[in-house]
Amino acid sequence: MTESRFYEELGILGIDITETQKQQFRLYFELLVEWNQKVNLTAITDQEQVYLKHFYDSATLVKMVSFDEVGSLCDIGTGAGFPGLVLKILFPNLEVTLIDALNKRILFLKAVIQSLHLEKIEVVHARAEDYAKEHREQFDIVTSRAVSSLPVLLEYSIPLVKINGFFIPMKANIAQEIVDSKHAIQTLYVELVDQIQFQLPLENSQRTILKFRKIKKTEAKFPRKFSEIKKKHL
């Protein structure tokens, strides 16, 4: 996906992008490639692939929620900042918290935030299960992208979500994981209120976004370390 096609597709999603935001995405890409030479951030470094599979893919979360109506978002297992940092660029007023267990990624994210002059964004070096214990019910939306095991994701994410807030995971294919999550959905007092499937432009690869609403307060049990769950490259 070329830069110009990226802007066109954002327009189709209902996102207007300024020249400043375009410059921020260019610099984000440059830093991603530069840092990736010394830190394993992504297997995807070709510019058109980054704009499609990382930048545009992250932006598709707007298919599920209007960010003009959202105050705070937490992205767990953010990696190189997908989708949380992309959403922060697109929606500057959004308060964003990025969580990752690998300090090298944290250093990269801080460098991008400083270079792009972003405000109201926090980067946290922590395991998700530890962070959740101390920050219950703080976020309107919690999201994760390409992190496996939906039942475990639910267990670590739902405690962070405000009552009547949403957990919105992004996946490539999730049909079996929804079946496997039936028990977690019941015990964590959440309901699956929406799900969409679509294909990315150009390559037509499958994507799925789920939307879970938190009905009432839950207590997490943390059976294993979230940091042990590996992030998959899409």
Side-chain angles (χ1 to χ4, degrees), residues 19 28 48 52 74 86 99-100 114 118 126 131 143 152 155 171 181 191 203 208 216 218-219 224-226:
E19 287 299 323
Y28 189 178
E48 293 192 4
L52 172 64
C74 179
V86 171
I99 301 176
D100 201 271
Q114 182 177 11
L118 300 177
Y131 185 80
T143 189
V152 176
E155 188 155 6
K171 293 274 189 172
S181 300
E191 59 179 349
E203 69 170 26
T208 304
K216 64 179 182 178
T218 56
E219 296 295 332
R224 59 178 172 145
K225 295 179 179 179
F226 180 86

Side-chain angles (χ1 to χ4, degrees), residues 23-133:
Q23 290 290 346
Q24 287 175 326
F25 276 114
R26 292 185 191 116
L27 183 53
Y28 189 178
F29 167 73
E30 292 171 2
L31 289 169
L32 180 68
V33 173
E34 177 185 340
W35 277 70
N36 203 61
Q37 295 175 0
K38 52 186 178 181
V39 180
N40 183 22
L41 298 170
T42 176
I44 300 169
T45 56
D46 174 77
Q47 184 176 17
E48 293 192 4
Q49 290 297 298
V50 169
Y51 269 78
L52 172 64
K53 293 187 177 181
H54 287 327
F55 294 168
Y56 175 78
D57 190 25
S58 295
T60 59
L61 205 63
V62 301
K63 291 175 176 284
M64 192 61 80
V65 62
S66 172
F67 283 99
D68 293 332
E69 302 171 1
V70 175
S72 58
L73 176 140
C74 179
D75 180 14
I76 61 174
T78 187
F82 311 121
L85 190 48
V86 171
L87 294 170
K88 177 61 185 178
I89 295 172
L90 294 173
F91 303 96
N93 292 328
L94 188 65
E95 294 184 9
V96 173
T97 298
L98 307 176
I99 301 176
D100 201 271
L102 186 61
N103 191 51
K104 291 181 179 180
R105 295 193 191 113
I106 295 297
L107 294 175
F108 165 73
L109 294 169
K110 288 182 176 179
V112 174
I113 290 167
Q114 182 177 11
S115 297
L116 272 56
H117 305 291
L118 300 177
E119 300 178 349
K120 296 195 296 185
I121 180 168
E122 180 182 12
V123 182
V124 178
H125 177 215
R127 298 182 306 189
E129 65 271 26
D130 294 333
Y131 185 80
K133 291 175 183 178

Side-chain angles (χ1 to χ4, degrees), residues 133-159:
K133 291 175 183 178
E134 303 297 328
H135 298 83
R136 294 184 181 279
E137 300 177 359
Q138 287 195 1
F139 300 97
D140 297 317
I141 290 177
V142 175
T143 189
S144 65
R145 174 182 176 266
V147 178
S148 40
S149 183
L150 182 60
V152 176
L153 274 175
L154 284 163
E155 188 155 6
Y156 293 133
S157 301
I158 295 303

